[in-house]
Amino acid sequence: MAVAAVILLGLGLMVLVGTPEAAEPDLHAPLPVDPNALDLRWDRERGELVIAYGPIDLPAGASHEDIVQIGGVVGTLPADGWLHGYRVEITDAHGRRVPQLVLHHINIIATDRRELFSEIMQRVGAAGHETGPVKLPRLFGLPVRQGERLLVTAMMHNPTSESYEGVRVVTRMPFTPRGTWLPPIPVFPFYLDVMPPASKHAYDLPPGRSEKSWEGRPAVSGRIIGVGGHLHKYGVALRFEDVTAGKVLWEAAPILDEDGNVIGMPMRMFLGRLGIPLRKDHVYRLTAVYDNPTGETIPDGAMGTLGGVMIPARNETWPGVDRRHPDYLLDWELIQDTSYGHAGRGEGSATAGGHGHHHH
């Protein structure tokens, strides 16, 4: 997009939504884990926040069950500013590149913020072995504050014939510090799943054609500027609807390889329309459509997740987290399970901010 067009887009969005804010997080609230265990630092020279997860040894041919997984680790943000996306690099103890194939998934979660459609913690990003860089235009950024905590959880395996020792998953997040002459427009990631929040998100896939849906209301109104999603094999479509208005906002079919395996989902940006409206007095529905030709039920064979980026409306404030809410407490319980994010247990996926098994 040309620079002039980006500037005009930004001005248009500022007129529509003003300057959105988030509730002041309680940065002194105790967490069930050490808030400084994660290697999280600010690389000023490269303009990035750098998160290093590991080390972990990966024997050749090891499944995720053969490996002693690290589990969730928390770090504290070193400065105020804005995040513009992320990319993943994997290296061994000698600094040599390791194939991204060893990454089953990684999730980045803001422990001091809630999700748009539920009381679980906010999903900031996620990646799998096939995930490329996720980058927002410099005009937009997720606002973060010094002292906020990020939780990272990952699952590793090694389908290759080579063993790797001291493996680290390094996530690099382009970062603009507070005080810049042109501050980005604050945007917020959101996540939806066809299963209830803070629950097992994979489900048994029945034979034939089937649909599974979940409905909810957003905590704030605003405008969605982009969405993407995730389905498993035999997925046909993922559909996001405004139930109250009777309107389909986004629907996409998965991208398949020659063997019919899902290798991605199309991402859709709504920048040319200055985003699409999202209203907190409306009900929204996410539906996953599958067609299982095997004639048998596939245990934990299906998922349906959507991730997106939105800008809250003028005078709306992204609500704070309720640390006593049952969904928040259950979310912590699930995340501390080292199988979190696996098809049988944890999270789904999202785009540009969200969360799970794999990210498109």
Side-chain angles (χ1 to χ4, degrees), residues 1-339:
M1 184 179 291
V3 173
V6 171
I7 293 173
L8 288 173
L9 168 66
L11 291 172
L13 285 169
M14 289 178 72
V15 169
L16 283 171
V17 302
T19 304
E21 296 181 353
E24 187 75 31
D26 180 2
L27 303 181
H28 302 291
L31 300 180
V33 296
D34 180 357
N36 297 298
L38 181 67
D39 181 359
L40 195 166
R41 55 191 168 82
W42 177 13
D43 184 339
R44 288 174 170 81
E45 186 175 331
R46 300 179 67 168
E48 297 174 331
L49 288 185
V50 182
I51 300 171
Y53 182 90
I56 186 171
D57 294 335
L58 304 178
S63 72
H64 68 273
E65 295 171 337
D66 299 326
I67 293 168
V68 179
Q69 304 291 338
I70 296 172
V73 187
V74 175
T76 301
L77 289 167
D80 294 353
W82 295 265
L83 299 174
H84 303 283
Y86 52 90
R87 71 183 189 278
V88 170
E89 301 171 355
I90 305 177
T91 58
D92 67 10
H94 304 286
R96 295 175 297 207
R97 285 295 183 96
V98 173
Q100 197 165 325
L101 199 60
V102 303
L103 177 65
H104 187 282
H105 65 263
I106 187 168
N107 298 279
I108 303 170
I109 299 168
T111 67
D112 302 306
R113 301 172 184 240
R114 58 156 284 175
E115 265 295 337
L116 178 63
F117 282 89
S118 70
E119 295 280 355
I120 64 174
M121 290 175 279
Q122 188 180 57
R123 274 52 182 169
V124 173
H129 68 83
E130 77 299 337
T131 308
V134 174
K135 189 171 183 181
L136 288 171
R138 167 64 179 75
L139 181 68
F140 303 107
L142 168 64
V144 294
R145 297 176 182 176
Q146 183 178 8
E148 284 190 272
R149 284 76 64 94
L150 287 184
L151 170 87
V152 176
T153 181
M155 182 177 289
M156 310 295 291
H157 61 168
N158 187 4
T160 77
S161 58
E162 184 175 349
S163 295
Y164 301 100
E165 294 183 351
V167 171
R168 282 181 167 83
V169 182
V170 178
T171 305
R172 298 185 176 274
M173 311 178 81
F175 177 70
T176 298
R178 187 170 296 278
T180 182
W181 71 275
L182 181 62
I185 297 172
V187 298
F188 295 85
F190 69 92
Y191 161 77
L192 270 173
D193 197 293
V194 298
M195 297 290 280
S199 69
K200 175 180 171 180
H201 293 300
Y203 60 93
D204 295 347
L205 180 62
R209 192 174 180 89
S210 63
E211 295 190 1
K212 185 171 286 290
S213 302
W214 184 83
E215 296 181 358
R217 285 186 172 89
V220 296
S221 299
R223 302 188 77 83
I224 299 172
I225 62 173
V227 295
H230 172 65
L231 292 169
H232 279 188
K233 189 172 184 177
Y234 305 130
V236 174
L238 191 63
R239 184 168 61 246
F240 182 49
E241 304 168 77
D242 181 336
V243 177
T244 305
K247 227 185 248 190
V248 175
L249 302 180
W250 177 77
E251 185 168 5
I255 302 166
L256 308 177
D257 65 15
E258 60 273 9
D259 299 318
N261 298 304
V262 175
I263 57 173
M265 287 285 290
M267 287 194 296
R268 175 77 185 276
M269 301 297 287
F270 303 105
L271 298 178
R273 300 162 55 184
L274 299 181
I276 55 176
L278 188 77
R279 295 181 48 172
K280 63 184 178 184
D281 59 344
H282 281 207
V283 174
Y284 295 84
R285 177 191 299 137
L286 180 67
T287 302
V289 183
Y290 278 81
D291 193 354
N292 172 10
T294 67
E296 299 179 354
T297 296
I298 303 175
D300 290 333
M303 266 188 184
T305 62
L306 176 140
V309 177
M310 64 92 67
I311 304 177
R314 184 183 299 275
N315 300 323
E316 290 273 22
T317 298
W318 195 279
V321 67
D322 179 358
R323 300 181 194 275
R324 296 170 297 178
H325 194 282
D327 284 350
Y328 178 87
L329 296 172
L330 181 55
D331 202 22
W332 263 112
E333 182 182 330
L334 291 171
I335 287 169
Q336 292 181 86
D337 186 332
T338 55
S339 66

